[in-house]
Amino acid sequence: MQRTALISGISGQDGSYLAELLTSKGYHVVGILRRSTHYHHPNIAHLYGKIQLEYGDVLDEANLTQIIRECQPDEIYHLAAQSVPADSWRQPLVTAEITALGTLRMLEAARLEAPHARFYQATSREIFGGVAQEVCDEETPTIANNPYGIAKVFAHQMMQTYRESYGMFACGGILFNHESPRRSLHFVTRKITMAAACIALGVSDPPLNELGEPLIQDRRLQLGNLDAVRDWGYAREYVDAMWRMLQCAEPRDFVIATNQCHTVRELCRIAFAAVDLDWQNHVVVDERFLRPTEINAARGDYSAAKAALGWQPETSFEDLIQMMVEADIQLLRKRK
Ligand code: NDP
Ligand code: GDP
């Protein structure tokens, strides 16, 4: 019988890749879209007609309950969130409402209407933001140090509590940063790949950055901490890990990562070199993009996922960034 998967946050980066993966596996995919006056969902436009879309908002529990009651999913992938850590200082309450309490509303709606559905929670490596150790795994204690990370700790522990209290098949994917051409411009990878593409093509009307200003001015990109370090992987591969987690015999949480770290500086070098430019001529540090706290540099040890799920990252950091620059060039050419 055809299985039904419900995805919250379907219009986002991960939701769109996951919807592609699940439709290719024969699932009936139902996606929750939040209402907006615009109808522009570029990440899923190619899936219109192949997936069912329902308007819903994780701020509205009655709404979620009704969607789950009607579609009776076998699997629920809860990806919706205010997902931008940098924005969470400016909007801590919105972040808590959506990212923390939104998860609780989804769990409660699932418990009431589809208690046998398997539930995936999009946990983040930010739950280890204040941890000093260099490598994190499933046993690392959760010490978050920004409003987003704290909201994700709440959501993760609430999911674990529903698993233990009600016997629900619920798991948390503790995902380290993962990127793609569908990444929002609020994140540093896409900001840099789009800027490199705009400068290479001489674009005069670049998209806006996270402060609502032109992304590049006088062929220069403004960034924050160039020494910041992340473990960056490819989003298309990470959604496969989400699906594998829900196929296990028992619910369990897994770290998904590459176990390799790179600096923002290195990212700049690779992205600008992809269009034969020297990043040092085009990147300036602007204090407005520095954060009140940084998460500590850490890599994710994915060996448990490798052993139990047969999952491992395939795409190198360099290939990922080059792919993103190339995609941004194609996008800008099409726009012209
Ligand atoms: P995106 O920001 O691309 O997608 C977030 C999605 O949530 C969007 O579809 C957004 O809708 C939706 N959303 C936001 N608020 C609401 C709301 N109130 N009601 C319903 N939907 C809402 O994130 P990603 O795809 O990158 O990430 C997916 C999940 O994984 C998120 O929970 C994120 O926090 C988590 N995560 C991501 C990591 C990463 O590196 N990408 C790392 C670890 C965890 P809209 O399009 O309308 O804005
Ligand atoms: P995050 O790990 O989910 O917060 O992903 P981001 O891509 O937003 O940030 C990754 C790292 O890049 C952080 O340590 C930031 O401090 C650093 N960074 C440096 N400059 C910028 C910038 O201009 N924008 C963003 N978003 N991050 C930046």
Side-chain angles (χ1 to χ4, degrees), residues 8-16 32-36 38 40-41 43 56-59 64 78-84 98-99 120-126 148 152 173-179 182-184 187 235 242:
S8 72
I10 195 157
S11 56
Q13 170 187 259
D14 292 3
S16 61
I32 300 179
L33 266 187
R34 65 173 157 174
R35 280 198 184 278
S36 162
H38 73 79
H40 189 54
H41 302 292
N43 289 340
D57 201 301
V58 300
L59 298 176
L64 300 175
H78 175 50
L79 309 183
Q82 188 304 89
S83 70
V84 188
I98 296 177
T99 307
Y120 174 86
Q121 164 57 13
T123 298
S124 161
R125 60 86 70 231
E126 294 263 351
Y148 168 82
K152 284 288 185 186
I174 307 168
L175 271 55
F176 280 59
N177 295 49
H178 46 281
E179 319 294 311
R182 299 183 195 169
R183 188 64 146 151
S184 143
F187 292 91
M242 297 176 187

Side-chain angles (χ1 to χ4, degrees), residues 303-318:
S303 45
K306 188 173 178 186
L309 308 177
W311 182 91
Q312 62 182 8
E314 304 289 347
T315 305
S316 73
F317 178 63
E318 192 152 8

Side-chain angles (χ1 to χ4, degrees), residues 68-291:
I68 294 180
R69 183 186 307 136
E70 285 171 3
C71 77
Q72 284 300 308
D74 300 289
E75 295 172 14
I76 298 172
Y77 296 87
H78 175 50
L79 309 183
Q82 188 304 89
S83 70
V84 188
D87 291 353
S88 74
W89 279 281
R90 289 184 202 105
Q91 295 198 296
L93 290 166
V94 168
T95 303
E97 276 294 349
I98 296 177
T99 307
L101 290 178
T103 303
L104 178 53
R105 293 186 192 98
M106 279 294 283
L107 283 165
E108 196 51 10
R111 179 180 77 82
L112 293 171
E113 301 296 337
H116 301 297
R118 295 186 165 204
F119 191 101
Y120 174 86
Q121 164 57 13
T123 298
S124 161
R125 60 86 70 231
E126 294 263 351
I127 66 171
F128 307 135
V131 169
Q133 68 202 61
E134 203 197 329
V135 184
C136 296
D137 63 17
E138 294 80 3
E139 306 309 319
T140 304
T142 51
I143 307 174
N145 67 350
N146 64 46
Y148 168 82
I150 292 165
K152 284 288 185 186
V153 170
F154 175 95
H156 185 65
Q157 294 186 346
M158 198 55 86
M159 174 279 300
Q160 290 175 325
T161 297
Y162 269 60
R163 179 167 72 207
E164 285 155 23
S165 308
Y166 303 115
M168 284 169 64
F169 190 111
C171 345
I174 307 168
L175 271 55
F176 280 59
N177 295 49
H178 46 281
E179 319 294 311
S180 75
R182 299 183 195 169
R183 188 64 146 151
S184 143
L185 274 171
H186 284 230
F187 292 91
V188 76
T189 49
R190 186 79 195 286
K191 203 176 156 183
I192 293 170
T193 63
M194 177 58 87
C198 285
I199 294 170
L201 294 181
V203 167
S204 57
D205 56 342
L208 301 179
N209 68 17
E210 61 264 56
L211 298 181
E213 298 164 354
L215 179 66
I216 51 163
Q217 296 179 47
D218 301 328
R219 290 171 63 78
R220 283 185 202 280
L221 166 68
Q222 295 160 339
L223 292 177
N225 182 4
L226 301 182
D227 296 317
V229 175
R230 288 291 185 279
D231 174 334
W232 277 294
Y234 180 26
R236 189 185 283 282
E237 294 169 3
Y238 283 41
V239 302
D240 178 44
M242 297 176 187
W243 175 77
R244 287 176 191 238
M245 284 175 64
L246 292 199
Q247 313 314 309
C248 289
E250 298 294 331
R252 194 174 146 193
D253 306 329
F254 287 99
V255 162
I256 302 297
T258 70
N259 211 349
Q260 288 183 20
C261 268
H262 302 272
T263 60
V264 171
R265 198 181 295 278
E266 213 178 328
L267 163 53
C268 289
R269 181 185 59 71
I270 296 170
F272 281 86
V275 284
D276 297 324
L277 293 171
D278 181 347
W279 71 276
Q280 297 186 81
N281 297 328
H282 300 284
V283 171
V284 288
V285 172
D286 182 329
E287 290 195 348
R288 293 176 306 159
F289 296 105
L290 296 175
R291 299 182 181 187

